[in-house]
Amino acid sequence: MQELSLAQLRASFVNTSRREASQATPEQDLASVDWEQLSLLGWRDAHNPQRAFVIIPVEDRHVGIMLTAVPSPPRKAMCALCEDITEVSDVKMFIAKAAGAAGRKGDTLGTLIHADFKCSKYARRFPSRLEGQDNPEAFIAARVERLRENAERFALRVLGEAH
Ligand SMILES: [Zn+2]
């Protein structure tokens, strides 16, 4: 994804108050982020473990979404964004308030996401023997594209622009 400054990142939020957006602070120093290897940027709030933020590229814009983790006992699940079938033990249900008028009415959307938001890394992992290792580049490219599509669809749903 394209590199973002802290100001651009905070300005991208679509379902927060201005105050909530101004307090969103990624866990990693933005100068050390390897943007080329990222399909999305997500993190848990250091001061509120139930709160998380994710920035999703959608065509030429970035859509920032605030999420709330649903407290639940650990169970195995597939992340709806990267759909990785090997990393299934740290996947949580997150709820996003819808953007705009729908959100003010109380509409929310839920999705299963890796609690560490490392979907970009999981989508880029080397295929297992069962997944076919003769063309790992094609395998990884297809998974990265799938993650991009799933993340974009989720962002458009939050925006109320999904078809
Ligand atoms: Zn994932």
Side-chain angles (χ1 to χ4, degrees):
M1 66 189 278
Q2 225 187 317
E3 184 175 344
L4 286 173
S5 68
L6 186 58
Q8 288 171 320
L9 180 154
R10 286 175 172 165
S12 76
F13 286 104
V14 298
N15 68 343
T16 61
S17 67
R18 238 171 243 186
R19 194 186 130 106
E20 287 163 337
S22 73
Q23 291 171 343
T25 305
E27 56 192 347
Q28 209 185 339
D29 177 9
L30 290 179
S32 69
V33 170
D34 188 357
W35 296 95
E36 273 185 28
Q37 293 298 312
L38 282 189
S39 301
L40 52 85
L41 178 70
W43 68 94
R44 306 289 290 268
D45 190 309
H47 305 292
N48 177 354
Q50 293 310 111
R51 179 161 289 181
F53 298 93
V54 64
I55 316 283
I56 297 173
V58 177
E59 288 164 10
D60 56 352
R61 56 188 167 152
H62 290 87
V63 179
I65 299 166
M66 186 170 76
L67 301 161
T68 306
V70 178
S72 59
R75 69 182 171 93
K76 293 191 170 168
M78 189 177 82
C79 170
L81 299 188
C82 65
E83 299 182 352
D84 193 44
I85 53 164
T86 61
E87 298 285 345
V88 291
S89 56
D90 190 25
V91 174
K92 271 191 175 299
M93 177 60 80
F94 286 93
I95 302 291
K97 192 174 94 174
R104 286 192 289 277
K105 261 187 357 207
D107 287 7
T108 59
L109 301 100
T111 192
L112 290 160
I113 311 181
H114 276 109
D116 62 5
F117 292 94
K118 290 195 175 140
C119 303
S120 307
K121 185 180 140 200
Y122 302 141
R124 286 160 178 79
R125 72 170 167 79
F126 199 79
S128 70
R129 203 162 296 180
L130 278 174
E131 291 162 333
Q133 294 177 333
D134 45 320
N135 195 345
E137 289 82 10
F139 174 87
I140 292 168
R143 286 169 52 91
V144 168
E145 175 59 15
R146 187 93 187 121
L147 168 57
R148 190 194 65 74
E149 286 173 5
N150 289 337
E152 183 176 291
R153 192 173 320 115
F154 176 62
L156 292 175
R157 281 173 60 213
V158 171
L159 286 167
E161 295 175 16
H163 305 294

